[in-house]
Amino acid sequence: IVPALITGPDGALKYLIAPMVVYNSFVGTRGTLNLFRYEPGGKELKGLASWSERIERKFLLSYVDPGFSNGRYSIGASATHFKNATLRFFGLGPTTAKRDQTNYTASETRANWKFGVYANDVTQLALSQRLRHMQPIQQGVTELPFTGDTFPNVPGVEGATILGQRVSFHYDTRDNLITPTDGAAITAYAELNYNLRNRDNPLYSRYELEVKKLFASDSKRAILIMRGDLQATLGTDVPFYELSSLGGQNNLRGFGVDRYLDKQLLALSVEERIHVLRTRLAGVSADFEVAPFIDTGQVFNSFTNISFKDYRITPGIGFRGIVRPNVVGRFDIGQSREGLVGFAGLDFPY
């Protein structure tokens, strides 16, 4: 990856262009182009195009303006299409075994919009809508068994077309939306979904409460972040890729993406971001951090089935490069009983 940072006359970051080449033994060489445009007030336009030798494709376009119309509203919209040939599925529940893992290819198209109204400087109420079209899952590219053969009766294997409506509440006292150093954020939503491809049980609902708090030292060279997340899904025949998920770059980072799936989720993460260096990079000031962390959590079918023996704990360490106020690059390594896992991204995990 060779990122290029382009600044305006005032020295503020205007563009981030990040071409990337990755070789993967399953899908071959992948070329990706990331493009970000930044404007004052937190406006961001993002484009991504990715093409692999075998099967995998990804195209994304998104725009967000958290201070639309002189800060009275927040707006956002995005659309994406991708094919991912290395997805894994282990079954449902908190006790699935590594030996049960299967592989499948997902071909998916998503679109969504969001409109928020600020009640005051730190409180927002928002309406949003999303469309998610998943084709029937296809054969994967690894030597693992095909998910459709091993789990033929799991809802979602035959595809889904989901239309969802969400009402959200946001309370946010953080000093920045992308690279915060202090404050707290609370997000809660209720979402009603309709699966257009399921005539027998098309309706289900989802709910989430997420709380984040940052504790900064006086110099802000050390920042402790705590995050709690509670999710619930109500309904039958919910596609497995619509359920609560543990594992991946944003929670339980010692496991791969979607390692544990079920209707409900309870998770807690603690991370200490420690400043180690500030330097000039491509004409802008860049900070570098190390971030030891511990993630824990559990998925379960109902709240009566919570058991402490099913909680998973994954310690790890992260490495961050930050160009404030808009850009975060990170690499996190997590440890679990199934080994080490690494994740790279262009944002904080929470």
Side-chain angles (χ1 to χ4, degrees):
I1 182 169
V2 186
L5 306 174
I6 302 174
T7 60
D10 58 355
L13 182 64
K14 298 286 291 183
Y15 293 95
L16 170 63
I17 303 172
M20 180 170 61
V21 176
V22 175
Y23 175 75
N24 180 286
S25 59
F26 296 118
V27 299
T29 302
R30 175 193 305 145
T32 301
L33 179 63
N34 296 278
L35 173 63
F36 296 81
R37 176 186 171 93
Y38 304 105
E39 295 290 344
K43 297 178 185 177
E44 178 186 289
L45 176 66
K46 177 182 179 181
L48 181 152
S50 177
W51 194 279
S52 299
E53 286 185 280
R54 294 186 60 198
I55 302 177
E56 295 198 340
R57 313 283 185 262
K58 185 172 184 179
F59 305 96
L60 179 147
L61 183 65
S62 69
Y63 177 77
V64 61
D65 182 357
F68 179 70
S69 186
N70 296 318
R72 291 181 295 178
Y73 310 106
S74 172
I75 61 172
S78 69
T80 183
H81 172 75
F82 67 86
K83 292 185 72 174
N84 188 336
T86 57
L87 292 171
R88 295 178 298 162
F89 180 67
F90 297 77
L92 301 179
T95 60
T96 55
K98 185 177 181 180
R99 64 178 179 272
D100 295 329
Q101 74 174 306
T102 60
N103 173 222
Y104 68 97
T105 295
S107 181
E108 183 172 346
T109 302
R110 302 182 186 184
N112 67 76
W113 62 265
K114 182 177 181 180
F115 178 79
V117 178
Y118 289 100
N120 53 46
D121 291 342
V122 297
T123 306
Q124 179 191 140
L125 297 175
L127 295 174
S128 59
Q129 190 172 52
R130 68 186 180 104
L131 178 67
R132 182 179 189 181
H133 174 67
M134 173 75 84
Q135 295 183 13
I137 64 171
Q138 304 165 23
Q139 186 73 46
V141 292
T142 73
E143 295 180 354
L144 294 170
F146 173 45
T147 301
D149 293 337
T150 307
F151 300 98
N153 298 319
V154 171
V157 167
E158 297 301 321
T161 300
I162 297 156
L163 182 64
Q165 287 74 222
R166 176 181 296 187
V167 178
S168 306
F169 167 83
H170 304 275
Y171 174 82
D172 197 339
T173 63
R174 295 175 299 170
D175 52 3
N176 187 272
L177 294 177
I178 300 175
T179 58
T181 61
D182 202 357
I186 300 173
T187 299
Y189 74 74
E191 182 181 80
L192 181 64
N193 299 281
Y194 190 88
N195 186 351
L196 302 176
R197 300 183 64 170
N198 186 335
R199 295 183 178 180
D200 296 328
N201 298 293
L203 287 174
Y204 61 95
S205 57
R206 304 197 304 182
Y207 308 87
E208 182 176 16
L209 173 64
E210 181 188 49
V211 180
K212 294 179 281 189
K213 174 62 179 174
L214 292 83
F215 303 89
S217 65
D218 291 340
S219 64
K220 294 191 176 182
R221 297 179 66 89
I223 304 170
L224 176 68
I225 303 95
M226 302 183 68
R227 176 214 194 188
D229 192 13
L230 176 65
Q231 300 177 21
T233 304
L234 304 180
T236 57
D237 290 345
V238 180
F240 69 89
Y241 32 79
E242 283 281 291
L243 297 172
S244 295
S245 166
L246 276 178
Q249 64 181 10
N250 296 326
N251 63 30
L252 213 60
R253 283 166 278 179
F255 291 97
V257 176
D258 294 342
R259 175 59 183 85
Y260 296 101
L261 296 169
D262 215 325
K263 285 189 172 182
Q264 332 295 350
L265 175 149
L266 182 61
L268 175 67
S269 295
V270 180
E271 179 173 290
E272 180 79 15
R273 298 171 187 166
I274 304 169
H275 180 271
V276 295
L277 176 66
R278 173 170 291 175
T279 187
R280 300 289 294 181
L281 180 66
V284 297
S285 180
D287 293 329
F288 293 89
E289 299 177 345
V290 296
F293 63 82
I294 294 178
D295 295 340
T296 182
Q298 178 189 358
V299 297
F300 43 93
N301 184 260
S302 72
F303 286 94
T304 60
N305 295 333
I306 298 177
S307 172
F308 285 104
K309 67 181 179 64
D310 293 327
Y311 275 86
R312 304 291 180 248
I313 299 176
T314 60
I317 189 167
F319 304 92
R320 313 286 164 72
I322 304 169
V323 178
R324 301 186 189 279
N326 301 114
V327 179
V328 177
R330 65 174 167 120
F331 181 67
D332 293 344
I333 302 173
Q335 170 71 48
S336 74
R337 63 187 183 182
E338 295 181 358
L340 288 172
V341 181
F343 296 99
L346 292 173
D347 56 4
F348 281 123
Y350 47 83

